[in-house]
Amino acid sequence: METSREALQRSEGNLKNNLEIYLKALNSANSGIIITDNTQPDNPIIYCNKAFETITGYHHNDIIGHNCRFLQAQDRAQPERDILKECIEKGEECRVEIRNYKKNGKLFWNELYVSPVYNDDGEVTHFIGVQNDITDRKKAEYELREEKASVERKIQMRTQELVDNQAFLSSIIHTVRESLLVLDAKFTVISANTHFLNTFKVSSEDTVGTLLFELGNHQWDIEALKELLIKILPTNNPVIDFEVEHDFPHIGKKIMLLNAYRVEFEGQYKDRILIAIEDITDKTEIDRRKDDFLSIASHELKTPLTTIKGLVQLLQRMPPNGASEKYLSTLDKVGSYVDRLNNLITELLDTSKIQSGNIELHNEPFNIDKTIKDTVESLSLATPDYKVILSGNSDAMILGDELQVSQVINNLISNAIKYSPGTEQVDVHVSRVGNFVKVSVTDYGMGISPQDKKKIFERFFRARDIQKKFPGLGIGLYISHEIIANHKGSLWVESEIGKGSTFSFTLPIMKDENGK
């Protein structure tokens, strides 16, 4: 007869097989499916299927830990967001059609179904979201409405509009001091401004009437560029900062940034594409020289600074007999400023290593909860006027460079303290979301504008109002972002002017010997 132990093992085996079948079924679905954890702060995503990644363009690592609203990017005024928020707060199911944005910034219409999951006590523990891309349907509906409303108007106005608009466009492109091309729907050049002809040393006869991809020695015949241009007319999605590096005839090797837009006049879309070409060869070379200078200068400064620091420490340990209090306090200030300068140089060296691809990871398993706790305790001792409140835990091991991860945590908390004058509290929350650890640092300070949020992780970027009030180089967040990216995680910020900011990052949890 079957023993209780054997029955339990058989039951566990059946449960595991069923779970694998369910997961395979979810990943085989054409609809995007996500699961969020309503028991955690901000209802983060803990699961997504393959279709969700395909529809949104985001990788699994970029999705886990985020709230679903990140898909709306800056398009936050949609009434459907309020509908979703209300249904989630009430634990009700709902259906909306909402504008979302892929990772590359492309708009798509999402038909979203949201359903709550209840536990045995009737509490909502999770939400399941099912989404379908209905962009084609929306586009067809829009085109049908537009066509019906504009047929008679087009018949009466088309000829005059074409004449006026073409003359207007021609006057613009010939006066702008940047290389400009106008293409028709088949990507044939119908106009090239004087700057383009002079820059590439070609004639109008060689350019106008020629397919873009056949210009010169086929320097623009790039498959990725073709795919982007093909999508401009039906979707109205521009091509932004597409980099082309080419050895051009007569002018030599150049690095160009190409931007392309669909031309629009008075609300009527025309089958024209405007291409702007910017020469960034000199700028790229200047950036390279600047990076080289920073690297060399940082290394050269490091050696004498280390010697100065050693001498200051020696004087602090062996003060002269009868040294005055002012002498000792001045020596302490010198030591403090030497440490500050040393930190700045270290950050510059880290930036240089990141830019050159030479940053090293010393990966070892470590307890992320302990690392965070130790960092918080050290900062609390250094800033006794602030309360750094740590909550949550992950009980997880991370495979990575503990020193670098600690540097990120230290930087985020230090920034939270630095940029929230007049407040007394910073919150740090740790949680496990799916196969990731999520760490969030929340301050209640000045906040970040939507414009600055787009650039906050760029090297040397500092918001204008921050530059006036707070010292710094603007590289701490850049270094933190690159460290987390090198650990296959994600770092992002949510903020509102006057209400504070929350910087969050995820790190993949180390798998055990069984791959779990």
Side-chain angles (χ1 to χ4, degrees):
M1 293 183 63
E2 187 181 56
T3 65
S4 299
R5 180 180 181 84
E6 290 172 339
L8 178 60
Q9 290 176 341
R10 179 169 54 82
S11 175
E12 290 177 345
N14 291 336
L15 181 61
K16 183 176 181 181
N17 291 335
N18 290 337
L19 181 59
E20 292 177 351
I21 292 172
Y22 293 152
L23 290 176
K24 287 180 180 179
L26 289 177
N27 276 324
S28 299
N30 291 325
S31 298
I33 299 173
I34 61 170
I35 300 175
T36 67
D37 189 346
N38 195 47
T39 65
Q40 294 197 35
D42 208 29
N43 199 17
I45 299 171
I46 61 173
Y47 169 82
C48 69
N49 70 345
K50 293 294 184 183
F52 185 87
E53 295 182 57
T54 301
I55 292 172
T56 64
Y58 283 90
H59 187 267
H60 178 266
N61 294 5
D62 298 324
I63 297 167
I64 299 301
H66 284 258
N67 184 280
C68 299
R69 62 175 170 269
F70 83 98
L71 289 175
Q72 284 94 60
Q74 298 303 320
D75 194 358
R76 300 294 181 92
Q78 302 182 60
E80 289 79 7
R81 286 167 54 90
D82 293 330
I83 296 173
L84 284 170
K85 181 178 179 181
E86 182 178 355
C87 289
I88 289 173
E89 288 176 350
K90 293 181 178 179
E92 299 175 347
E93 64 180 21
C94 65
R95 172 190 173 277
V96 294
E97 293 180 0
I98 190 168
R99 293 186 300 273
N100 281 352
Y101 296 85
K102 297 177 182 285
K103 185 175 183 179
N104 62 8
K106 177 182 177 182
L107 165 71
F108 72 98
W109 279 94
N110 180 18
E111 183 182 52
L112 176 62
Y113 295 84
V114 176
S115 299
V117 178
Y118 294 88
N119 61 15
D120 294 338
D121 297 326
E123 298 171 335
V124 178
T125 59
H126 298 80
F127 281 92
I128 297 177
V130 180
Q131 72 168 21
N132 293 289
D133 187 342
I134 58 170
T135 306
D136 291 341
R137 192 190 82 192
K138 283 286 188 180
K139 178 175 176 291
E141 292 173 353
Y142 171 79
E143 290 177 344
L144 184 61
R145 290 194 303 268
E146 286 294 297
E147 185 67 18
K148 184 177 180 180
S150 65
V151 167
E152 292 185 3
R153 184 170 66 251
K154 284 183 178 180
I155 293 174
Q156 297 173 359
M157 301 177 63
R158 185 168 181 78
T159 302
Q160 188 60 44
E161 282 183 351
L162 284 173
V163 173
D164 293 344
N165 291 338
Q166 188 168 352
F168 181 57
L169 178 61
S170 179
S171 66
I172 291 176
I173 67 173
H174 283 290
T175 54
V176 171
R177 295 187 63 82
E178 191 174 70
S179 295
L180 298 176
L181 294 175
V182 179
L183 313 179
D184 64 14
K186 296 181 179 179
F187 310 114
T188 299
V189 179
I190 60 175
S191 180
N193 72 341
T194 304
H195 195 276
F196 178 89
L197 301 177
N198 292 338
T199 299
F200 294 97
K201 301 188 184 305
V202 293
S203 66
S204 180
E205 291 76 12
D206 296 330
T207 306
V208 176
T210 304
L211 192 67
L212 171 68
F213 311 115
E214 296 177 356
L215 287 179
N217 61 347
H218 295 254
Q219 60 260 26
W220 309 109
D221 189 7
I222 304 169
E223 192 61 34
L225 177 60
K226 286 183 181 179
E227 293 178 3
L228 292 172
L229 290 176
I230 287 171
K231 297 176 182 178
I232 285 183
L233 292 179
T235 64
N236 200 37
N237 286 326
V239 176
I240 304 295
D241 291 345
F242 185 89
E243 188 172 306
V244 176
E245 184 173 349
H246 187 76
D247 194 354
F248 291 91
H250 313 300
I251 63 173
K253 187 175 182 180
K254 292 288 183 180
I255 302 174
M256 320 291 286
L257 274 188
L258 186 147
N259 289 273
Y261 300 86
R262 185 178 184 176
V263 180
E264 178 185 6
F265 290 112
E266 300 174 1
Q268 298 297 307
Y269 289 116
K270 307 301 180 185
D271 291 337
R272 297 289 184 267
I273 298 174
L274 175 63
I275 294 182
I277 303 168
E278 179 186 0
D279 185 353
I280 61 167
T281 308
D282 293 339
K283 179 180 179 298
T284 303
E285 177 62 18
I286 290 171
D287 287 342
R288 185 190 66 78
R289 290 178 181 178
K290 182 173 65 176
D291 290 337
D292 290 345
F293 170 76
L294 288 176
S295 177
I296 294 170
S298 299
H299 279 95
E300 292 297 320
L301 288 170
K302 194 76 173 175
T303 301
L305 190 64
T306 301
T307 303
I308 293 171
K309 183 176 181 179
L311 293 173
V312 171
Q313 290 175 341
L314 181 63
L315 290 173
Q316 287 175 321
R317 288 195 301 267
M318 302 173 60
N321 294 329
S324 66
E325 186 65 30
K326 184 176 181 180
Y327 173 89
L328 296 175
S329 63
T330 301
L331 199 58
D332 289 339
K333 287 182 180 179
V334 173
S336 176
Y337 282 114
V338 167
D339 287 338
R340 182 184 299 182
L341 184 57
N342 189 54
N343 289 335
L344 287 174
I345 293 174
T346 300
E347 286 188 338
L348 287 173
L349 283 171
D350 287 343
T351 302
S352 175
K353 290 177 182 178
I354 290 171
Q355 286 297 110
S356 62
N358 292 327
I359 191 167
E360 296 181 0
L361 288 180
H362 302 285
N363 290 333
E364 295 286 345
F366 67 92
N367 186 314
I368 184 66
D369 292 347
K370 182 179 183 301
T371 300
I372 296 171
K373 181 180 178 183
D374 292 344
T375 306
V376 168
E377 288 178 351
S378 297
L379 283 169
S380 297
L381 291 173
T383 54
D385 294 336
Y386 275 84
K387 295 179 181 177
V388 183
I389 299 178
L390 176 61
S391 62
N393 62 79
S394 65
D395 294 325
M397 295 294 292
I398 300 296
L399 180 62
D401 192 316
E402 183 178 8
L403 188 61
Q404 290 190 15
V405 173
S406 177
Q407 180 182 349
V408 173
I409 301 166
N410 191 307
N411 185 49
L412 295 182
I413 298 176
S414 297
N415 281 354
I417 294 172
K418 180 178 180 180
Y419 298 120
S420 53
T423 64
E424 298 179 349
Q425 180 173 323
V426 172
D427 292 329
V428 181
H429 183 75
V430 188
S431 60
R432 180 191 287 250
V433 285
N435 295 324
F436 290 80
V437 171
K438 179 181 178 182
V439 181
S440 298
V441 178
T442 301
D443 66 64
Y444 304 93
M446 56 200 305
I448 305 168
S449 69
Q451 295 80 7
D452 290 339
K453 279 172 59 178
K454 298 176 182 178
K455 300 180 180 181
I456 197 70
F457 298 111
E458 292 182 6
R459 185 175 50 142
F460 301 120
F461 175 79
R462 304 194 77 226
R464 183 172 299 178
D465 53 345
I466 288 178
Q467 288 181 9
K468 299 175 182 178
K469 300 177 182 178
F470 303 98
L473 296 177
I475 55 179
L477 286 177
Y478 166 76
I479 293 172
S480 298
H481 184 273
E482 296 303 309
I483 288 174
I484 295 301
N486 287 337
H487 283 79
K488 304 188 187 312
S490 177
L491 172 62
W492 68 96
V493 62
E494 295 191 21
S495 184
E496 204 171 327
I497 291 292
K499 296 185 178 179
S501 307
T502 297
F503 284 83
S504 302
F505 68 84
T506 56
L507 291 173
I509 296 173
M510 180 181 174
K511 295 182 179 180
D512 59 25
E513 295 178 354
N514 298 319
K516 296 181 180 179

